[in-house]
Amino acid sequence: MNAAYEFVTGPLAWIAWGIFLLGSAWRLISMYQLAKKKDASSWAFLDLGFSLRSIVNWLIPFNALGWRKNPLLTVTTFAFHVCLVAVPVFLMAHVALWTEFFGLSYATLPDNVADIMTLVVLAACLVFAGRRLTQKDVAYITTGKDWLALAIVALPFLTGFLAYHQVFDYQIMLIAHIVAGEIMLAAIPFTRLSHMVFAAFTRAYMGSEFGGVRHARDW
Amino acid sequence: MGITERLIEDAGLRRGVSLLTPEKIEKTIVAVLQGETGARLKTYAETCMRCGMCAEACHFALSHPGDPSYTPAGKVHQTMSVLLDKKGRVDPDFIYGMAQLAYTECNLCRRCVHLCPIGIDTAYIMSTVRRICHKLGCTPQYMQDTAHSHASTFNQMWVKDDEWTDSLMWQEDEAREEFPGLRIPLDKEGADIYYSVIAPEPKFRTQLIYQAAAIMHMAGVDWTMPAQTGWDNSDMCMFSGDFEVMGRLKRQHFESAQKLKVKRIVMGECGHAFRSVYDVGNRWLGWRWHPVPVIHAVEFYWELIQEGKIKLAKKFPGPVTIQDPCNIVRGRGLQQKLREVTRFLVEGDIIEMHPNMEHNFCCAAGGGVINCGPPFKNVRVEGNAVKAEQLKATGVKTIITPCHNCHGGLHDIIHHHKLGMDLKFLSDIIYECMEKPEA
Ligand code: HEM
Ligand code: SF4
Ligand code: SF4
């Protein structure tokens, strides 16, 4: 068991982070090159100010028309994304690992708060899944790729929650949790989760077109 | 659910599809995807989270509650997503449905952009589908007829060169009775304003040219219209996917203005034409901005009013409502100016539709949909039941809308739903209310 733990927190972690960071960089750079080569008539209109204007306006809950028209999803997705990023980054047990391996240390979330936030993520995943199953317009466009993304995200939180509460065998659950987390990291550049890398740019482009050319809002 | 359950017979689509082979289809699709698309399409396809938020955006979807195949993402799902997944290996029957969907069930109005958190431009995706259909020779017959007219005459309605100048001189002649000394100056070099219109104006809406001339005359504008091709600023090729001809048309329009060394181009009250000149054609030609500045009639009238050059003898009796044309509102942000001009002209309230301004619903005629002709009329009339409800809720009799497509689309909606409302261009109202010479 110890050897397995060593492996998943050692070489496997390096591999997962490597795939995530290098993969994301590669996807961004190759997309940039493709854009320069093929999308000149779009690229020419990118504008930092209008990009930020659009991004900021979409980061405010219920500000954009899209958010106002989809209240359940708005509440869910804001809670989901905030917790999704905050929990793994600021969890005490995770920061302890950074300290152990690299001597890094920074602010942490109290465990009971992190616990609730984990439940928020899981509840949000249930809402997402529920929409995909019951809401006709979402069900119609749902593909395997969307289920895969959802599963990849839900698993680290589910296993983390179970491990923390020592349900089933702690050791096995812990290793499952670490592996699930590493799968998620490595999957980001190559699945629907790549929206983490690209969404800011699609938004920025739309903001630039609407701001600079069409002189209208895009939210 | 989906397009296969609502196919409509169209001679152009049927003939185009009958000539297809799987090899030709695959080759064409791959050529367009690889040659003409890049990071934009790729990121849209990959980062669309399939969240369905855009479903609330589209008047087609809202007018067909419970049928997800009309939602923006649902339409992409049935067309471009399939092409990408199958790498172009689809059969001719698929192309029929894909073409019908792309040409008649999306107005390229971009309302869905306002509801998509990722910022996906469904209109761009549908235009790319249309581009492929065009390359495959599968276009609706009526629309293709206008594209042929553009290609052979540089105008949309088969107007012959002499018919064009005859129409202008005829209108000048008529108007001189009411406005002694009025001219429609042809090919006047160095004029301040080059006025361009869409071909339906000389063909069957000549009163609009009369009215424009009257307004120019009374406002003392130094203006001209070209005697040669280039006068038609409309562009069905932009919508059929024939970008090569679109480029030729836009070049002709700009060059005819450049040859006359005019200061600015003012485009008549049309939305799609403005999109083609202001936003699309220039890019295809490799111009970031326009070689001659371009403004829409709404902005031009707004300027004339600011300068005190439009003098009213009376105001138009309200209340009225305003149909915001997508291409000058989401396409150019003219919603406030449109309201300021309207307030200047109208006595009484402007009863707004909701949603309005940048968030307006399209008339469902735009994006070339009305130009697909009679076979598809019900697609857009029934596909815009929400617009009928919106119009009815205002309770007014007059709708002001500075766009030819909006006029066509709303006209049919008003009749179908027996709303008994009148449609007005701004120039209709300016002409009706402005000071005229003593008779
Ligand atoms: C950091 C930048 C990110 C941005 C701007 C972003 C934005 C979005 C947006 C706009 C949506 C679509 C609307 C919705 O369902 O709420 C979405 C959905 C989603 N995001 Fe993110 N996201 C980010 C990061 C992440 C990360 C890091 C993950 C997980 C690794 C993730 C997982 C998901 C999932 C699973 C969905 C789909 C929900 C569903 O099934 O409907 N996101 N995201
Ligand atoms: S008609 Fe307008 S709202 Fe509907 S899909 Fe097309 S661009 Fe989007
Ligand atoms: S709102 Fe945007 S991301 Fe969501 S399904 Fe529609 S196009 Fe895709």
Side-chain angles (χ1 to χ4, degrees):
Chain A
M1 202 50 87
N2 236 356
Y5 181 80
E6 296 281 314
F7 177 69
V8 296
T9 53
L12 206 58
W14 280 103
I15 292 171
W17 276 97
I19 297 177
F20 166 53
L21 292 175
L22 295 177
S24 299
W26 174 72
R27 298 255 19 222
L28 265 183
I29 293 166
S30 54
M31 205 58 99
Y32 166 78
Q33 286 170 335
L34 186 61
K36 288 295 261 188
K37 189 167 155 213
K38 286 287 185 192
D39 303 85
S41 67
S42 302
W43 188 267
F45 294 89
L46 272 179
D47 176 287
L48 183 64
F50 289 125
S51 296
L52 293 175
R53 182 180 86 153
S54 175
I55 291 171
V56 167
N57 273 292
W58 275 91
L59 280 179
I60 304 168
F62 295 105
N63 184 51
L65 182 63
W67 296 139
R68 291 205 296 278
K69 286 285 173 192
N70 296 277
L72 172 69
L73 188 61
T74 304
V75 172
T76 311
T77 200
F78 274 93
F80 168 80
H81 280 95
V82 168
C83 297
L84 170 84
V85 176
V87 173
V89 174
F90 297 109
L91 190 78
M92 228 179 275
H94 287 184
V95 178
L97 287 174
W98 288 113
T99 315
E100 183 188 329
F101 284 96
F102 299 102
L104 269 175
S105 96
Y106 51 84
T108 56
L109 283 169
D111 273 354
N112 56 342
V113 174
D115 207 33
I116 293 169
M117 290 170 82
T118 303
L119 285 176
V120 169
V121 171
L122 290 172
C125 288
L126 284 179
V127 174
F128 291 146
R131 290 177 84 246
R132 295 210 179 281
L133 291 171
T134 61
Q135 208 174 308
K136 263 184 166 179
D137 45 8
V138 189
Y140 186 73
I141 52 178
T142 296
T143 64
K145 289 179 189 170
D146 308 296
W147 285 115
L148 180 71
L150 204 51
I152 290 175
V153 173
L155 275 178
F157 289 87
L158 182 63
T159 50
F161 183 79
L162 295 178
Y164 177 70
H165 290 278
Q166 317 243 339
V167 185
F168 308 122
D169 183 291
Y170 175 71
Q171 288 295 327
I172 292 181
M173 204 43 84
L174 183 65
I175 288 169
H177 168 65
I178 296 168
V179 173
E182 288 164 348
I183 290 176
M184 181 173 101
L185 273 183
I188 288 175
F190 305 105
T191 58
R192 278 263 190 272
L193 301 178
S194 65
H195 73 281
M196 180 185 165
V197 184
F198 294 126
F201 295 96
T202 46
R203 187 80 266 151
Y205 170 62
M206 222 6 116
S208 303
E209 285 278 3
F210 272 74
V213 180
R214 298 181 190 136
H215 306 286
R217 334 179 253 170
D218 63 321
W219 60 88
Chain B
M1 263 172 283
I3 188 69
T4 49
E5 288 162 28
R6 49 177 185 261
L7 293 179
I8 292 171
E9 229 8 72
D10 177 89
L13 291 181
R14 184 57 67 203
R15 184 175 150 73
V17 166
S18 73
L19 299 172
L20 293 177
T21 60
E23 298 72 43
K24 181 174 172 194
I25 293 173
E26 185 183 348
K27 201 171 143 221
T28 308
I29 293 173
V30 170
V32 173
L33 292 180
Q34 287 186 355
E36 301 183 22
T37 75
R40 205 171 157 199
L41 185 67
K42 206 169 172 166
T43 36
Y44 287 164
E46 188 173 325
T47 50
C48 168
M49 297 307 289
R50 306 294 175 128
C51 66
M53 274 175 66
C54 51
E56 289 288 329
C58 185
H59 46 283
F60 281 108
L62 294 170
S63 302
H64 295 280
D67 188 342
S69 66
Y70 285 100
T71 63
K75 288 183 266 201
V76 175
H77 185 68
Q78 295 170 77
T79 55
M80 184 55 86
S81 301
V82 180
L83 300 184
L84 291 170
D85 282 350
K86 301 200 169 168
K87 301 195 167 51
R89 282 189 283 274
V90 293
D91 57 34
D93 286 341
F94 177 85
I95 300 293
Y96 195 107
M98 164 177 115
Q100 182 180 327
L101 193 158
Y103 284 115
T104 73
E105 294 183 359
C106 174
N107 298 103
L108 313 180
C109 76
R110 293 209 174 94
R111 185 169 197 266
C112 36
V113 166
H114 286 255
L115 282 95
C116 173
I118 302 277
I120 286 175
D121 187 350
T122 302
Y124 165 75
I125 301 175
M126 295 323 265
S127 297
T128 309
V129 173
R130 291 184 183 193
R131 171 72 172 159
I132 291 171
C133 294
H134 158 74
K135 287 256 176 181
L136 287 168
C138 298
T139 46
Q141 188 179 35
Y142 273 80
M143 176 186 263
Q144 190 55 48
D145 179 68
T146 60
H148 284 325
S149 171
H150 274 306
S152 19
T153 67
F154 280 104
N155 75 72
Q156 193 198 123
M157 300 253 113
W158 303 102
V159 177
K160 298 195 190 88
D161 287 351
D162 58 335
E163 290 172 349
W164 163 243
T165 41
D166 277 356
S167 299
L168 296 184
M169 288 195 272
W170 164 45
Q171 288 311 303
E172 179 183 79
D173 214 36
E174 296 259 307
R176 282 169 75 90
E177 269 184 40
E178 198 179 2
F179 301 90
L182 176 147
R183 295 295 317 270
I184 296 182
L186 293 183
D187 279 350
K188 180 178 173 197
E189 254 189 42
D192 286 343
I193 300 295
Y194 169 107
Y195 186 63
S196 62
V197 297
I198 66 171
E201 294 202 11
K203 192 85 178 180
F204 47 71
R205 280 190 161 161
T206 36
Q207 89 279 6
L208 289 174
I209 295 174
Y210 181 111
Q211 289 169 182
I215 296 167
M216 298 283 190
H217 176 74
M218 291 308 288
V221 175
D222 174 22
W223 70 302
T224 186
M225 291 182 90
Q228 308 294 324
T229 53
W231 56 267
D232 177 15
N233 53 28
S234 76
D235 208 323
M236 278 309 123
C237 296
M238 164 176 72
F239 288 146
S240 74
D242 190 348
F243 296 157
E244 288 77 8
V245 172
M246 169 189 78
R248 279 174 53 208
L249 297 172
K250 296 309 100 171
R251 185 187 293 282
Q252 190 79 359
H253 181 242
F254 280 123
E255 284 184 354
S256 105
Q258 282 176 310
K259 273 183 205 142
L260 293 176
K261 305 186 178 69
V262 295
K263 298 207 177 66
R264 289 195 297 175
I265 297 172
V266 171
M267 303 182 51
E269 294 180 61
C270 182
H272 97 273
F274 187 75
R275 175 192 190 121
S276 77
V277 174
Y278 177 78
D279 190 1
V280 184
N282 52 317
R283 298 186 199 219
W284 174 266
L285 292 167
W287 290 320
R288 187 162 192 271
W289 295 113
H290 320 99
V292 182
V294 180
I295 63 169
H296 186 268
V298 168
E299 196 169 0
F300 180 62
Y301 295 145
W302 182 85
E303 284 180 6
L304 291 182
I305 290 168
Q306 298 302 305
E307 293 161 1
K309 289 183 177 163
I310 293 183
K311 297 198 182 61
L312 299 185
K314 58 173 184 183
K315 289 221 175 195
F316 185 84
V320 300
T321 189
I322 294 175
Q323 157 71 10
D324 289 291
C326 307
N327 286 318
I328 65 164
V329 168
R330 265 191 296 284
R332 181 59 185 82
L334 292 181
Q335 60 277 9
Q336 292 304 345
K337 286 186 175 152
L338 173 54
R339 277 159 183 76
E340 285 170 34
V341 173
T342 305
R343 229 168 273 134
F344 174 81
L345 297 171
V346 172
E347 179 96 77
D349 291 333
I350 300 173
I351 310 289
E352 293 286 355
M353 286 189 257
H354 296 284
N356 60 351
M357 307 218 214
E358 297 103 316
H359 295 155
N360 79 318
F361 288 127
C362 175
C363 61
V369 172
I370 195 171
N371 304 76
C372 295
F376 303 101
K377 183 174 168 187
N378 281 337
V379 174
R380 64 185 162 83
V381 174
E382 282 158 18
N384 210 356
V386 286
K387 181 56 76 184
E389 285 161 28
Q390 253 193 327
L391 289 171
K392 207 170 182 177
T394 63
V396 305
K397 198 162 160 11
T398 309
I399 308 163
I400 294 180
T401 184
C403 172
H404 279 274
N405 274 306
C406 289
H407 273 252
L410 294 197
H411 174 88
D412 293 335
I413 289 172
I414 290 167
H415 274 251
H416 184 83
H417 295 274
K418 305 198 172 51
L419 299 177
M421 300 168 94
D422 292 331
L423 284 158
K424 297 279 182 197
F425 287 98
L426 287 174
S427 77
D428 291 332
I429 296 182
I430 299 176
Y431 169 74
E432 186 179 327
C433 299
M434 71 186 191
E435 280 183 2
K436 301 193 183 88
E438 298 301 314

